[in-house]
């Protein structure tokens, strides 16, 4: 059986391949030599570094053929560590693993890292010493298949020629610490280079790093603020992967809002504590977890990402107020609510207002998600322009639409676009509607009115209209809250709601009474107005506003 090392704050992507890898490392070793000593300590050290590692758990070989799960484990790994020990070559399984590893090294981007544990590399390369004895037995056993044995010899010669690490009389603990540190650096460098394949990420990363540098003398708190689906988490993850090798203590805590809604706060606290002490800690309740985190974080330098925060209490459960961390710490908070950041003491200069994608970036992302096998033809490019216009630079929308439209015909594109303008895909609606859940009744009323009727109008004019209808609406502060929650944008004195969010708002109104427009809070179309008035239904809901005003 194989076990996946649950890395803390770890993100893995393929190296030079579009296939996503499940493991960072595949461990190849001779069980009877090193399973319960060197390899076990190496595995634990890789796990502490957050490197997801495949390790075969079978104690004994069963049959002559290699276990298919091992072959799959190699295929799903970014790299392979081969621990050559005294009896490595006596195992046909080990030799078959080695053959598969070198095959993938040639065919894909699999990286190979040999460790010579108590053996001389020349013995491996030339099959001397214990390796000579092992091959004498293989030649007797496989006398009918000499090519098989010769292939094993060739593989050993090839892998022994790779620059590796030797451990003979040195201290194992020091060797493992040094080796794993190099592994972490090599794999993280590769992960960082793959970030360039994320469309539009580099300029955002540069801007975020500029903010971090300019705030280096401050308390270390950095905010990434923007609407749902704008790429806040992606940017935070990219920044984390680029910087974490510079920190002994680092942790990425994803989806905090969702975790708190599902009562998983304590599990995230345990994850943060594990990243600090490299050992599991028992936490009975969130208060105990908060106190433990405070005590462990005091005077430590840490890189910490708190993703998708929507309440100050969540911050208090993970990070004490400013002044607890060692100089040089970076605490990145992603949120849809700018006021939350300000309330926690994050200065405006330390908040990155994430930008939407440009049209060219949107086009590139759409092609990447939709046309995976090449460039689209001219007819599809014309439709792609409509998709890009509808998405309005929102990465989430482009990815969802691109995946949905992938390999569909032109007429299906046209039908889908017409449908989505009234009914946004559920994958988009769910994420955007989350922002509405945190509004009180007045704020929600103001938002729905702006989204449904006043999108793009002058802010003062909107305030005048809404306060004329309801003097107790407190429109000015309500609009301020909507801007802070990334639901409304003030551009040159005019208020704008993203088109997809606007359609989500209309959908919210429709769901108030799907079968009877007269029972909805707002009349959104001429057809609905004619239906209501023509049917002599003059009794509207008290908050009803007609789109014809």
């Amino acid at each position: 059986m194989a076990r996946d090392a649950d890395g803390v704050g770890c993100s893995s992507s393929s190296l030079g391949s579009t296939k996503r890898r499940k493991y960072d490392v595949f461990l190849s070793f001779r069980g009877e030599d090193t399973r319960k000593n060197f390899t076990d300590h190496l595995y634990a050290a890789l796990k502490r570094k957050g490197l997801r590692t495949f390790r075969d758990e079978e104690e004994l070989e069963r049959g002559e053929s290699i276990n298919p799960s091992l072959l799959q484990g190699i295929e799903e790994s970014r790299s392979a560590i081969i621990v050559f020990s005294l009896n490595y070559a006596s195992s046909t399984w080990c030799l078959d693993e080695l053959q598969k590893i070198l095959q993938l090294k040639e065919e894909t981007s699999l990286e190979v890292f040999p460790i010579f544990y108590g053996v001389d590399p020349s013995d491996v390369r030339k099959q001397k010493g214990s390796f000579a004895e092992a091959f004498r037995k293989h030649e007797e056993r496989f006398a009918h298949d000499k090519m098989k044995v010769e292939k094993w010899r060739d593989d050993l010669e090839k892998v022994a020629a790779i620059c590796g690490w030797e451990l003979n009389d040195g201290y194992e603990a020091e060797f493992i610490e040094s080796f794993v540190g190099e592994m972490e650096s090599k794999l993280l460098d590769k992960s960082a280079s793959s970030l360039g394949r994320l469309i539009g990420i580099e300029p955002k990363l540069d801007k975020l790093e500029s903010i971090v540098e300019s705030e280096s003398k401050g308390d270390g708190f950095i905010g990434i603020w923007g609407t749902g689906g704008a790429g806040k988490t992606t940017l935070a993850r990219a920044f984390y992967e680029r910087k974490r090798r510079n920190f002994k203590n680092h942790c990425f805590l994803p989806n905090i809002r969702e975790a708190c809604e599902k009562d998983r706060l304590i599990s995230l606290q345990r994850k943060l504590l594990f990243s600090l002490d490299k050992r599991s800690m028992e936490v009975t309740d969130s208060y105990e977890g908060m106190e433990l985190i405070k005590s462990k974080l005091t005077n430590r330098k840490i890189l910490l990402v708190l993703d998708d925060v929507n309440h100050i209490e969540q911050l208090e459960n993970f990070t004490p107020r400013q002044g607890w961390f060692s100089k040089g710490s970076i605490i990145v908070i992603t949120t849809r609510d700018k006021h939350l950041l300000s309330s926690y003491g994050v200065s405006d200069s330390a908040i990155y207002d994430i930008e939407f994608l440009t049209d060219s970036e949107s086009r590139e992302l759409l092609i990447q998600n939709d046309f995976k096998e090449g460039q689209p033809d001219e007819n599809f490019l014309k439709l792609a322009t409509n998709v890009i216009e509808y998405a309005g630079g929102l990465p989430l929308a482009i990815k969802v639409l691109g995946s949905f439209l992938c390999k569909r015909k032109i007429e299906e594109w046209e039908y889908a676009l017409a449908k989505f303008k009234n009914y946004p895909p559920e994958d988009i609606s769910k994420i955007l509607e989350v922002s509405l859940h945190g509004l009180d009744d007045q704020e929600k009323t103001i938002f729905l009115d702006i989204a449904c009727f006043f999108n793009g109008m002058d802010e003062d004019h909107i305030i005048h209209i809404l306060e004329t209808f309801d003097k107790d609406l407190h429109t000015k502060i309500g609009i301020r809250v909507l801007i802070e929650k990334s639901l409304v944008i003030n551009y040159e004195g005019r208020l704008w709601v993203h088109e997809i969010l606007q359609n989500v708002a209309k959908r919210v109104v429709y769901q108030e009474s799907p079968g009877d427009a007269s029972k909805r809070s707002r009349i959104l179309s001429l057809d609905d107005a004619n239906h209501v008035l023509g049917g002599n239904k003059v009794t509207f809901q008290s908050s009803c506003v007609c789109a014809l005003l």
Side-chain angles (χ1 to χ4, degrees):
M1 299 295 290
R3 184 169 61 197
D4 184 0
D6 50 339
V8 178
C10 175
S11 175
S12 170
S13 61
S14 64
L15 308 181
S17 171
T18 56
K19 182 179 178 180
R20 183 169 179 82
R21 307 296 186 184
K22 186 175 181 181
Y23 306 101
D24 293 300
V25 176
F26 178 92
L27 272 180
S28 176
F29 60 97
R30 183 68 167 111
E32 69 178 42
D33 286 351
T34 65
R35 179 184 299 280
K36 295 181 179 179
N37 42 66
F38 176 79
T39 298
D40 188 55
H41 299 152
L42 175 60
Y43 175 81
L46 292 166
K47 180 178 177 179
R48 286 195 298 270
K49 287 293 185 182
L51 295 172
R52 298 180 295 180
T53 304
F54 185 109
R55 176 178 66 170
D56 172 37
E57 299 296 335
E58 294 291 341
E59 292 289 346
L60 300 173
E61 297 181 11
R62 298 175 183 175
E64 296 183 359
S65 300
I66 187 171
N67 191 322
S69 69
L70 296 181
L71 296 178
Q72 184 178 349
I74 298 169
E75 292 172 351
E76 294 177 342
S77 298
R78 298 171 58 196
S79 66
I81 297 174
I82 306 170
V83 182
F84 289 110
S85 57
L86 197 65
N87 296 300
Y88 184 91
S90 66
S91 166
T92 58
W93 274 30
C94 288
L95 293 173
D96 283 342
E97 280 181 15
L98 177 62
Q99 185 173 332
K100 181 67 173 180
I101 287 168
L102 292 182
Q103 175 192 337
L104 290 177
K105 181 179 183 296
E106 294 294 327
E107 297 176 355
T108 70
S109 55
L110 183 74
E111 294 213 46
V112 177
F113 304 99
I115 294 177
F116 302 97
Y117 180 75
V119 297
D120 192 296
S122 66
D123 287 356
V124 178
R125 183 168 59 253
K126 299 176 182 179
Q127 291 93 60
K128 297 189 301 182
S130 63
F131 283 73
E133 176 62 20
F135 270 86
R136 185 186 64 78
K137 294 179 179 179
H138 291 326
E139 286 173 345
E140 291 178 359
R141 182 180 179 186
F142 297 101
H144 62 286
D145 193 358
K146 292 183 179 180
M147 289 297 294
K148 184 184 188 74
V149 178
E150 283 304 310
K151 185 66 174 68
W152 285 340
R153 287 187 181 275
D154 290 344
D155 289 339
L156 285 172
E157 185 176 351
K158 287 179 183 178
V159 76
I162 299 173
C163 183
W165 289 259
E166 294 182 51
L167 176 60
N168 292 307
D169 298 325
Y171 291 103
E172 288 190 8
E174 291 181 5
F175 175 89
I176 288 173
E177 182 179 359
S178 175
F179 174 79
V180 172
E182 287 192 50
M183 282 290 296
E184 181 187 33
S185 178
K186 287 176 182 290
L187 293 176
L188 285 176
D189 284 344
K190 293 292 184 181
S191 293
S193 67
S194 71
L195 294 175
R197 294 194 291 273
L198 295 173
I199 307 302
I201 198 67
E202 286 299 334
K204 291 182 174 65
L205 269 175
D206 291 343
K207 187 168 183 179
L208 180 58
E209 289 193 2
S210 176
I211 292 173
V212 171
E213 185 177 349
S214 65
E215 297 293 320
S216 60
K217 294 181 181 179
D219 48 44
F221 282 79
I222 304 294
I224 301 177
W225 166 58
T227 192
K232 300 183 297 297
T233 300
T234 301
L235 175 60
R237 173 64 76 179
F239 178 81
Y240 175 80
E241 294 294 348
R242 177 177 286 188
K243 294 294 184 183
R244 69 173 181 159
R245 68 178 180 272
N246 299 328
F247 291 80
K248 181 179 179 181
N249 300 294
H250 54 80
C251 187
F252 190 107
L253 297 178
N255 305 319
I256 290 176
R257 172 190 54 79
E258 181 181 344
C260 292
E261 290 174 355
K262 296 180 179 179
D263 293 326
R264 295 205 308 261
L265 172 64
I266 294 175
S267 67
L268 286 180
Q269 288 181 323
R270 289 196 191 107
K271 182 176 180 179
L272 176 53
L273 287 166
F274 182 87
S275 74
L276 297 171
D277 266 11
K278 311 305 181 191
R279 62 186 178 89
S280 299
M281 300 187 72
E282 198 61 40
V283 178
T284 56
D285 56 52
S286 60
Y287 179 81
E288 181 185 7
M290 179 177 64
E291 291 301 311
L292 281 170
I293 290 169
K294 283 182 179 181
S295 66
K296 299 295 181 183
L297 281 176
T298 302
N299 297 323
R300 288 206 192 191
K301 179 182 174 183
I302 186 172
L303 170 62
L304 176 62
V305 176
L306 304 173
D307 175 54
D308 195 15
V309 176
N310 67 335
H311 288 294
I312 282 185
E313 292 79 5
Q314 295 163 359
L315 292 176
E316 292 172 340
N317 277 305
F318 293 108
T319 60
R321 297 272 180 170
Q322 291 86 336
W324 285 77
F325 304 99
S326 175
K327 185 178 180 181
S329 292
I330 302 175
I331 302 90
V332 178
I333 304 165
T334 76
T335 183
R336 307 181 189 199
D337 189 350
K338 186 177 182 180
H339 183 66
L340 180 147
L341 296 171
S342 302
S343 299
Y344 207 65
V346 182
S347 64
D348 284 346
S349 61
I351 298 174
Y352 179 23
D353 180 2
I354 194 167
E355 304 100 334
F356 291 136
L357 296 176
T358 65
D359 285 351
S360 61
E361 291 170 342
S362 298
R363 186 176 295 105
E364 190 177 353
L365 181 59
L366 179 64
I367 291 173
Q368 184 185 79
N369 281 272
D370 199 341
F371 303 96
K372 297 177 174 62
E373 299 176 356
Q375 292 291 319
D377 61 30
E378 187 175 344
N379 291 327
F380 277 106
L381 280 175
K382 290 179 180 177
L383 282 173
T385 301
N386 295 334
V387 174
I388 291 165
E389 182 180 350
Y390 170 72
L394 194 67
L396 168 70
I398 296 168
K399 289 178 181 178
V400 171
L401 293 172
S403 297
F404 177 82
L405 297 171
C406 183
K407 296 186 178 181
R408 295 188 187 274
K409 298 177 181 178
I410 289 179
E411 54 268 27
E412 291 176 316
W413 273 52
E414 293 171 338
Y415 171 80
L417 275 175
K419 173 186 175 183
F420 291 153
K421 286 187 176 181
N422 292 316
Y423 307 100
E426 188 173 355
D427 288 345
I428 300 175
S429 297
K430 280 184 177 179
I431 290 177
L432 295 182
E433 283 181 16
V434 167
S435 298
L436 305 186
H437 298 161
L439 302 178
D440 64 27
D441 290 342
Q442 285 200 345
E443 292 160 357
K444 187 174 181 180
T445 294
I446 296 167
F447 170 73
L448 291 176
D449 285 343
I450 295 173
C452 294
F453 307 125
F454 308 125
N455 197 24
M457 287 181 59
D458 180 80
E459 179 179 1
D460 291 336
H461 189 44
I462 294 173
I463 292 172
H464 174 73
I465 292 174
L466 294 181
E467 290 188 346
T468 298
F469 277 96
D470 186 351
K471 293 181 180 180
D472 297 324
L473 197 54
H474 305 294
T475 309
K476 289 183 180 180
I477 186 63
I479 290 174
R480 176 67 182 272
V481 169
L482 296 177
I483 292 173
E484 290 173 341
K485 290 184 179 293
S486 307
L487 289 166
V488 172
I489 297 171
N490 185 319
Y491 181 71
E492 296 182 348
R494 295 178 177 272
L495 300 184
W496 295 90
V497 176
H498 192 284
E499 182 179 353
I500 297 178
L501 194 52
Q502 188 179 20
N503 291 332
V504 169
K506 292 178 179 178
R507 186 69 178 164
V508 168
V509 173
Y510 174 80
Q511 291 293 343
E512 293 171 352
S513 178
D516 190 347
S518 69
K519 294 181 179 179
R520 298 175 199 153
S521 60
R522 294 154 182 83
I523 304 300
L524 303 178
S525 69
L526 285 171
D527 287 342
D528 285 345
N530 288 332
H531 170 73
V532 172
L533 296 174
N536 297 318
K537 293 185 178 181
V538 295
T539 304
F540 292 83
Q541 297 295 310
S542 60
S543 60
C544 181
V545 180
C546 183
L548 302 178
L549 289 175

